[in-house]
Amino acid sequence: MATLAQRLERALKSTSTHWLRLAFAFKRTLSHRAHSLLVTAVPKSGSSFLVRALVETTGFLHHYLGQSYYAEQDLYLPRVLDAWSMDTVNHHHARANPHNLGLMARVGIRPIILTRAIDDCLVSLHDHLRLESPSTPTFSVSPEYFDLPEARQYDALVALAAPWYVDFH
């Protein structure tokens, strides 16, 4: 037989409507709602810098609200509930889709939306691909990309990555 703690944990991690209401009721009843800052932006927009500055300034815990960095555009209910009673700064490249908007409304998360010109994002993406990793959650390149002249590399980013950025907005 499951302990009370195990039953509560199952309820909090369940996504069914009944258990979702129960999970939020437990959180509201058993603990206070802490401060939760959510910085959301397109990738390579300077959001990591802003999040680091907010963490250092506020002393809040840096927390991630997604299930995986490679599926990072949706908020993940168990992680959102984990942050309920902690003062957190959350960094997430979340889309404004019905799932995310509904979850943020239910738990009272008000996002800080960071914007940056697409050409600046593409330059930052180019630098990231060249200096850090040829793979990102949003765009990856083959080894042949690095053999291209720099102007052709930017042409490839405009043709292949820019549409993703436009779609994100």
Side-chain angles (χ1 to χ4, degrees):
M1 182 166 186
T3 67
L4 176 61
Q6 289 170 325
R7 281 188 249 149
L8 287 174
E9 182 177 343
R10 284 187 206 141
L12 294 176
K13 293 189 177 180
S14 173
T15 57
S16 72
T17 306
H18 171 73
W19 288 112
L20 180 61
R21 281 194 296 263
L22 184 61
F24 285 124
F26 279 129
K27 285 288 186 177
R28 282 192 300 268
T29 303
L30 300 176
S31 62
H32 75 286
R33 176 68 172 121
H35 300 94
S36 181
L37 303 175
L38 170 62
V39 176
T40 184
V42 294
K44 310 316 297 173
S45 61
S47 54
S48 294
F49 173 80
L50 177 60
V51 167
R52 281 192 302 271
L54 287 170
V55 166
E56 288 181 23
T57 303
T58 62
F60 289 4
L61 177 67
H62 184 204
H63 186 72
Y64 181 64
L65 297 176
Q67 182 176 12
S68 161
Y69 284 103
Y70 283 94
E72 67 175 352
Q73 296 162 22
D74 288 321
L75 301 176
Y76 183 54
L77 176 62
R79 301 280 301 170
V80 171
L81 292 176
D82 286 345
W84 179 267
S85 58
M86 298 184 295
D87 291 330
T88 60
V89 175
N90 309 285
H91 183 200
H92 205 75
H93 300 299
R95 291 181 184 264
N97 61 34
H99 164 78
N100 290 337
L101 294 174
L103 189 53
M104 287 190 303
R106 274 188 221 123
V107 299
I109 295 174
R110 296 178 66 189
I112 299 168
I113 301 170
L114 181 64
T115 61
R116 186 177 186 184
I118 193 168
D119 55 334
D120 289 337
C121 290
L122 293 177
V123 169
S124 184
L125 177 61
H126 176 263
D127 291 343
H128 177 91
L129 293 169
R130 193 170 43 86
L131 301 172
E132 295 181 41
S133 171
S135 180
T136 72
T138 58
F139 185 78
S140 298
V141 295
S142 66
E144 293 81 26
Y145 171 85
F146 300 104
D147 295 333
L148 297 172
E150 189 172 42
R152 295 273 296 140
Q153 290 177 357
Y154 279 108
D155 289 343
L157 292 179
V158 168
L160 301 171
W164 185 93
Y165 276 83
V166 171
D167 183 58
F168 186 91
H169 283 283

